[in-house]
Amino acid sequence: MRLLAPFAEASKLLEGRGKHGRHGAIWEVLITFEWLLNELEALKERLKDIDYNDPLAPEDHLMLNVNLAHKKLSQYYSKFDDAPVYYAATVLHPHYKHHLEALWKVPD
């Protein structure tokens, strides 16, 4: 459940049926992908030291599925390079205009 909760939240955020006119906006896509990748990386970090031989441990397919989800999301994320409109929309948004700079540690 905890693994899928961020994906459910991201789906609701980006589905474009919000009451405030901002859901599904193009600037939200890049931010949401970054958030999902961070969630998966944090989960991978928590799962890497688990002894799967312990009977109380989660099943070992959980780590495999997290790795596959991260790989697939990374493949989609790499496609943003072919569509710079996502970067432009994020940079032009007043609240997120420095998000990419902080994220990638780009100097002035």
Side-chain angles (χ1 to χ4, degrees):
M1 292 288 290
R2 276 191 246 155
L3 171 64
L4 296 177
F7 289 93
E9 186 176 340
S11 295
K12 289 291 183 187
L13 178 69
L14 296 177
E15 72 183 358
R17 295 187 183 132
K19 296 178 182 175
H20 303 291
R22 68 175 226 272
H23 293 277
I26 198 161
W27 62 266
E28 291 178 308
V29 176
L30 187 61
I31 302 295
T32 303
F33 264 74
E34 294 281 350
W35 175 66
L36 286 173
L37 283 169
N38 287 338
E39 290 289 316
L40 287 173
E41 287 168 9
L43 188 56
K44 283 171 59 174
E45 188 65 30
R46 287 196 310 261
L47 292 174
K48 75 175 186 175
D49 295 326
I50 292 178
D51 176 16
Y52 290 104
N53 293 322
D54 182 357
L56 299 176
E59 295 184 29
D60 60 352
H61 63 80
L62 181 60
M63 186 63 171
L64 174 67
N65 290 332
V66 169
N67 285 332
L68 289 172
H70 188 274
K71 180 180 177 182
K72 181 56 78 175
L73 198 61
S74 294
Q75 288 172 344
Y76 282 116
Y77 184 78
S78 70
K79 294 181 185 287
F80 284 126
D81 291 342
D82 296 331
V85 67
Y86 293 100
Y87 297 108
T90 304
V91 169
L92 293 174
H93 189 277
H95 183 72
Y96 292 107
K97 63 183 175 182
H98 298 294
H99 175 77
L100 298 177
E101 179 181 319
L103 184 69
W104 296 329
K105 316 262 187 297
V106 178
D108 288 339

